[in-house]
């Protein structure tokens, strides 16, 4: 019987160690974070190294002080992209459920990954604004409708829909589990899960 240390090495070798960034973009309350955490749980059960870079947590800890101007949003997305690429380059699957409303910001992140030879997958969680406003997980749509806030992505601030994402998820037509399974299938097909 091999020593415990040898067993751990053998077990690790059986798991995918290629890192990647999986960016889930979409409107507020589209289901990005819910899908990311569902997928992360499944992959961790299989022994995969996974981190979820939650947009709200990043805003609090890495991008505190940034507002919601186009420039600040771009800076926020670039910071997140840098951290995701760093994790991915080191064998971690980085799931990034972040709106990233502007195509040029997302393309810059993709470019950073390409320059470093790091896998990057863009997923558009394409939930219609009408469905998102009913879900209204954080109460943002209600606050915007009441005039308490402005600059809500997809309502009174732009959201540039990805022209050709690697995967488009219509979360209003399937369960969270089905959405996570579709994404996992794509990652498996590409040798990333």
């Amino acid at each position: 019987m091999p020593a415990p240390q040898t067993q751990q090495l053998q077990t690790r070798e059986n798991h995918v160690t290629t890192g990647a960034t999986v960016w889930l973009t979409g409107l507020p309350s589209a289901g990005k974070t819910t899908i990311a955490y569902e997928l992360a749980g499944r992959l961790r059960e299989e022994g995969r190294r996974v981190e979820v870079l939650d947009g709200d947590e990043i805003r609090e800890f890495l991008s505190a002080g940034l507002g919601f101007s186009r420039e600040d949003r771009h800076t926020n997305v670039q910071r997140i992209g840098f951290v995701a690429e760093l994790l991915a380059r080191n064998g971690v699957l980085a799931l990034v459920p972040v709106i990233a409303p502007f195509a040029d910001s997302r393309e810059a992140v993709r470019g950073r990954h390409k320059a470093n030879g790091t896998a990057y997958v863009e997923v558009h969680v394409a939930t219609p604004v009408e469905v998102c406003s009913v879900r209204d997980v954080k109460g943002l749509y209600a606050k915007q409708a009441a005039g308490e806030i402005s600059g809500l992505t997809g309502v009174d601030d732009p959201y540039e829909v990805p022209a050709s994402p690697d995967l488009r998820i219509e979360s209003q037509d399937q369960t969270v589990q089905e959405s996570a399974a579709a994404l996992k299938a794509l990652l498996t097909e590409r040798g990333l899960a």
Side-chain angles (χ1 to χ4, degrees), residues 3-193:
Q5 192 174 29
T6 306
Q7 285 179 332
Q8 286 176 344
L9 290 174
Q10 289 172 341
T11 301
R12 259 189 231 127
E13 288 172 7
N14 293 335
H15 294 291
V16 176
T17 56
T18 302
T21 293
V22 180
W23 200 291
L24 295 93
T25 179
L27 297 175
S29 296
K32 304 176 298 296
T33 302
T34 305
I35 294 167
Y37 278 110
E38 174 69 23
L39 178 59
R42 291 178 184 208
L43 293 171
R44 284 183 183 126
E45 285 176 4
E46 297 174 5
R48 189 70 164 88
R49 293 172 56 205
V50 181
E51 288 296 333
V52 177
L53 299 180
D54 182 282
D56 293 332
E57 291 177 1
I58 297 290
R59 276 247 176 221
E60 182 179 350
F61 296 106
L62 187 63
S63 294
L66 288 180
F68 291 90
S69 67
R70 184 180 178 103
E71 296 78 21
D72 282 358
R73 287 177 188 256
H74 180 77
T75 298
N76 184 48
V77 167
Q78 297 317 297
R79 287 178 183 177
I80 296 167
F82 173 81
V83 173
E85 196 280 327
L86 184 65
L87 288 168
R89 192 176 351 136
N90 285 283
V92 176
L93 188 62
L95 304 178
V96 186
V98 174
I99 296 169
F102 300 109
D104 61 344
S105 295
R106 295 189 304 262
E107 195 52 42
V109 171
R110 182 187 294 275
R112 171 186 296 282
H113 282 71
K114 185 175 182 179
N116 288 311
T118 307
Y120 180 85
V121 177
E122 183 178 74
V123 179
H124 180 210
V125 183
T127 311
V129 69
E130 299 80 18
V131 175
C132 294
S133 66
V134 170
R135 290 179 181 172
D136 204 9
V137 177
K138 299 173 194 164
L140 297 175
Y141 293 93
K143 288 179 182 176
Q144 192 277 336
E148 296 173 25
I149 63 169
S150 63
L152 181 59
T153 302
V155 178
D156 60 351
D157 212 45
Y159 176 74
E160 298 172 357
V161 174
S164 55
D166 297 286
L167 178 66
R168 194 175 311 275
I169 293 175
E170 310 273 346
S171 75
Q172 73 280 9
D173 296 332
Q174 58 191 28
T175 66
V176 172
Q177 293 75 19
E178 290 168 336
S179 295
L183 180 47
K184 186 173 186 290
L186 174 66
L187 296 176
T188 300
E189 176 185 306
R190 294 188 178 184
L192 301 171

